[in-house]
């Protein structure tokens, strides 16, 4: 018998990939915002509040999202053309209608845009996480600080022990002098009483 085979692009896979990317990016952005937040009501900082490395990483990722990485090769060149926009909190959102329209009109261009942004983000994250990257440098810097603090703590404990010993010796000497003065005072009091 005969059969018909239809080959067409998996447009749903593209939408799923976009939704997965947006969800993963938003989870990262929310975590960073949480760890760097400052609670002004309770005047408390969070774990990474004011951390320059975290701000630097977040800024570089945001920079990729608002730029046009690589050379566009179709109708669309940036994420906003596909309906992917950044909100005031830094989270991404997807206009499903606009994305579907872009997929229907120029699937190759949509694929190119997603590939260029994906490659740029992948490269940047690789730079962050490599053995000589931003995170490794920060980890090494923090390890060095911890070692320095440990040495300072040990040195301070030695100094405090020496100071305590000195004060105890001085107190003992002072206590002896006061004892002698009391003896002398008692002797003088007795001698005056005999007069």
């Amino acid at each position: 018998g005969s059969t018909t085979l239809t080959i067409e692009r998996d447009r749903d896979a593209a939408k799923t990939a976009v939704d997965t990317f947006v969800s993963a990016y938003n989870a990262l952005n929310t975590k960073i915002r949480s760890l760097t937040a400052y609670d002004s009501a309770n005047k408390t900082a969070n774990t990474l509040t004011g951390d320059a490395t975290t701000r630097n990483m977040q800024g570089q990722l945001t920079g990729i999202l608002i730029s046009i990485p690589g050379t566009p090769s179709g109708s669309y060149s940036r994420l906003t053309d596909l309906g992917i926009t950044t909100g005031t909190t830094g989270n991404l959102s997807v206009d499903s209608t606009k994305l579907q329209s872009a997929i229907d009109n120029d699937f190759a261009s949509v694929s190119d845009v997603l590939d260029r942004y994906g490659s740029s983000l992948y490269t940047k994250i690789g730079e962050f996480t490599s053995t000589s990257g931003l995170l490794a440098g920060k980890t090494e810097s923090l390890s060095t600080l911890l070692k320095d603090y440990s040495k300072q703590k040990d040195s301070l404990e030695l100094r405090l022990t020496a100071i305590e010993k000195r004060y105890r010796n001085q107190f003992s000497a002072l206590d002896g002098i006061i004892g002698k003065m009391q003896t002398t005072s008692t002797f003088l009091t007795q001698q005056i009483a005999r007069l």
Side-chain angles (χ1 to χ4, degrees):
S2 64
T3 186
T4 302
L5 176 64
T6 304
I7 300 173
E8 56 185 32
R9 291 188 170 104
D10 188 351
R11 299 175 195 284
D12 290 337
K15 288 175 71 175
T16 300
V18 168
D19 289 338
T20 301
F21 163 71
V22 167
S23 177
Y25 182 84
N26 288 346
L28 172 66
N29 185 60
T30 300
K31 190 66 169 177
I32 290 173
R33 291 185 72 233
S34 169
L35 291 173
T36 58
Y38 177 77
D39 185 352
S40 56
N42 296 319
K43 297 184 179 176
T44 54
N46 229 321
T47 308
L48 297 174
T49 301
D51 181 65
T53 302
T54 307
R55 284 195 316 266
N56 183 8
M57 288 171 52
Q58 190 175 31
Q60 289 187 50
L61 292 176
T62 301
I64 290 172
L65 294 178
I66 61 174
S67 67
I68 301 177
T71 305
S73 65
S75 311
Y76 309 112
S77 57
R78 59 180 65 227
L79 292 176
T80 53
D81 296 339
L82 308 181
I84 303 168
T85 55
T86 306
T88 55
T89 62
N91 279 357
L92 299 176
S93 61
V94 181
D95 179 339
S96 299
T97 305
K98 191 170 183 179
L99 177 60
Q100 186 62 56
S101 175
I103 289 171
D104 292 341
N105 289 333
D106 191 348
F107 185 85
S109 181
V110 171
S111 177
D112 173 65
V113 169
L114 295 176
D115 183 53
R116 285 186 292 106
Y117 279 94
S119 294
S120 293
L121 287 168
Y122 182 80
T123 300
K124 185 57 67 179
I125 290 169
E127 291 172 10
F128 293 160
T129 58
S130 74
T131 55
S132 61
L134 208 55
L135 292 175
K138 183 66 172 184
T139 301
E140 185 178 336
S141 170
L142 290 174
S143 294
T144 302
L145 277 175
L146 285 174
K147 287 176 187 172
D148 289 346
Y149 288 147
S150 179
K151 287 178 186 175
Q152 289 175 14
K153 177 180 172 264
D154 292 344
S155 174
L156 184 59
E157 285 176 355
L158 287 173
R159 280 181 31 214
L160 289 175
T161 301
I163 290 170
E164 180 185 9
K165 184 178 179 182
R166 188 176 79 229
Y167 284 164
R168 285 183 184 277
N169 290 340
Q170 288 175 349
F171 178 78
S172 296
L174 184 60
D175 193 38
I177 292 170
I178 290 174
K180 288 178 184 176
M181 290 179 73
Q182 285 175 340
T183 302
T184 303
S185 173
T186 303
F187 173 75
L188 290 175
T189 303
Q190 290 170 353
Q191 293 301 320
I192 292 174
R194 289 184 186 172
L195 291 177

